[in-house]
């Protein structure tokens, strides 16, 4: 079983195990956040199908970059093999299905340390909570569907690459896709020491090129208040702060409801529930993101 390696934490980021699972329940992965290693399991047999390892270059700064998705009727595992490159592989065999091209300094996507991966609800786009020197957190997004279909060839035209605004020393931040085009990131400010609770919404389908040639998605909403982990369903934003869950309309930036004392850590999008562990009762509490609620 994959285990923390005992390395000295970078800026308090302790190595911990994290569990990921494919949507159909066929595969699971156990990885070490802020570490180098992980394993993929076939849940029908319990067998380890893949042993994962990244190159270790500044891996202590980010959670282990990994996500499951589906393409052409098969499961696909996305993970960071090298500090700046994500690969798509078959979780049963390790066959490489698509890879980001080796980066060059002139490429739009060069120089980013890939972090937590966030899939859009329909799986057409992906965002990485990345950082770049000096260091500054700067999430990046690209077209997942075209990449998995065309492979490296998709990158000849940039593959929909867009970089969100940088924030000095601040990454591993709240983040969620509202739909296939809009993504929301947490925190208002341009430096870790100045960050206050809030949300910024960007439309990655609308990109403006700045004077330096960077492709920047259009910011369509900014509002204060949301903090903690972010989740999304039915176009709404859910923020899990220390005191409970808040519900927001991200178009107008208004809080529309709250669930005091309920602090979810996971979202079961298929069942339409937010989930929170209840250690005292050794149970999982759940709350519906749509329809009748109780």
């Amino acid at each position: 079983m994959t285990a923390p390696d005992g390395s000295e934490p970078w800026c308090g980021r302790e190595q911990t195990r994290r569990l990921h699972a494919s949507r159909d329940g066929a595969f699971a992965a156990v990885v070490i956040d802020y570490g180098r290693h992980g394993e993929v399991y076939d849940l029908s047999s319990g067998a380890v199908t893949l042993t994962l390892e990244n190159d270790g270059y500044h891996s202590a700064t980010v959670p282990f970059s990994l996500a499951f998705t589906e393409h052409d009727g098969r499961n696909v595992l996305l993970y960071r093999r090298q500090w700046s490159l994500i690969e798509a592989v078959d979780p049963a065999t390790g066959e490489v299905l698509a890879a980001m091209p080796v980066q060059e300094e002139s490429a739009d996507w060069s120089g980013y340390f890939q972090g937590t991966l966030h899939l859009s609800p329909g799986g057409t786009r992906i965002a990485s909570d990345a950082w770049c020197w000096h260091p500054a957190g700067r999430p990046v997004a690209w077209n997942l569907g075209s990449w998995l279909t065309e492979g490296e060839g998709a990158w000849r035209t940039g593959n929909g690459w867009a970089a969100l605004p940088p924030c000095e020393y601040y990454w591993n931040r709240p983040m969620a896709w509202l739909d296939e085009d809009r993504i929301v990131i947490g925190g208002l400010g341009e430096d870790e020491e100045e960050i206050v609770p809030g949300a910024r919404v960007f439309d990655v389908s609308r990109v403006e090129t700045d004077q330096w040639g960077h492709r920047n998605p259009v910011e369509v909403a900014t509002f204060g208040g949301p903090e903690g982990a972010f989740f999304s369903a039915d176009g709404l934003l859910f923020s899990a702060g220390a005191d409970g869950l808040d519900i927001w309309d991200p178009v107008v930036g208004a809080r529309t409801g709250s669930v005091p004392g309920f602090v979810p850590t996971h979202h079961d999008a298929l069942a339409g529930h937010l989930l929170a562990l209840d250690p005292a009762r050794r149970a999982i509490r759940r709350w519906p993101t749509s329809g009748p609620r109780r």
Side-chain angles (χ1 to χ4, degrees):
M1 172 67 73
T2 298
D5 63 16
S7 299
E8 184 71 21
W10 180 82
C11 292
R13 289 168 167 83
E14 297 280 353
Q15 291 189 357
T16 56
R17 290 188 178 94
R18 184 177 296 273
L19 174 67
H20 299 262
S22 63
R23 187 164 61 170
D24 63 359
F27 295 94
V30 178
V31 299
I32 302 300
D33 280 349
Y34 309 108
R36 296 184 58 184
H37 300 98
E39 294 169 330
V40 179
Y41 297 85
D42 181 332
L43 294 181
S44 65
S45 65
V48 175
T49 60
L50 293 177
T51 299
L52 307 175
E53 182 176 2
N54 64 52
D55 62 1
Y57 186 49
H58 291 292
S59 59
T61 64
V62 291
F64 196 101
S65 305
L66 185 142
F68 284 98
T69 189
E70 303 86 32
H71 183 68
D72 283 346
R74 67 191 296 183
N75 280 303
V76 177
L77 178 74
L78 309 167
Y79 85 104
R80 163 183 151 165
R81 186 189 295 271
Q82 298 182 46
W83 63 276
S84 58
L85 304 178
I86 303 295
E87 282 190 356
V89 304
D90 184 324
T93 65
E95 174 193 359
V96 178
L97 306 175
M100 297 175 73
V102 176
Q103 298 176 353
E104 301 175 357
E105 290 302 319
S106 59
D108 289 341
W109 56 89
S110 65
Y112 290 86
F113 292 79
Q114 305 292 350
T116 303
L117 300 180
H118 299 268
L119 290 169
S120 63
T124 64
R125 300 185 193 269
I126 189 168
S128 172
D129 188 8
W131 66 271
C132 56
W133 290 111
H134 61 283
R138 191 164 199 191
V140 293
W142 65 95
N143 292 335
L144 180 58
S146 62
W147 176 41
L148 293 178
T149 300
E150 302 173 35
E152 287 194 18
W155 295 91
R156 295 192 183 102
T157 56
N159 199 30
W161 179 270
L164 280 66
C167 184
E168 294 187 24
Y169 290 90
Y170 187 59
W171 58 94
N172 301 334
R173 65 198 302 169
M175 189 180 305
W177 287 92
L178 297 173
D179 50 38
E180 296 309 294
D181 295 328
R182 295 178 301 155
I183 189 169
V184 55
I185 63 174
L188 305 182
E190 298 181 354
D191 189 290
E192 180 185 38
E193 296 182 353
E194 302 171 353
I195 289 293
V196 297
R200 303 177 68 181
V201 184
F202 297 87
D203 185 340
V204 299
S205 71
R206 299 162 55 194
V207 175
E208 299 175 338
T209 302
D210 63 23
Q211 59 183 319
W212 297 282
H214 298 145
R215 293 168 50 83
N216 303 314
V218 174
E219 189 165 1
V220 295
T222 305
F223 54 97
E227 60 182 329
F230 282 4
F231 308 95
S232 176
D234 296 338
L236 297 175
L237 174 66
F238 301 86
S239 62
D243 298 326
L245 183 70
D246 288 322
I247 308 162
W248 304 84
D249 180 334
V251 175
V252 298
R255 188 173 69 172
T256 62
S258 61
V259 187
F262 179 68
V263 184
T265 56
H266 292 79
H267 181 201
D268 184 342
L270 287 180
H273 288 99
L274 295 175
L275 307 174
L277 296 178
D278 187 339
R281 299 181 181 180
R282 295 184 178 181
I284 296 176
R285 299 175 62 195
R286 61 181 184 175
W287 189 85
T289 56
S290 61
R293 296 170 178 149
R294 58 184 178 87

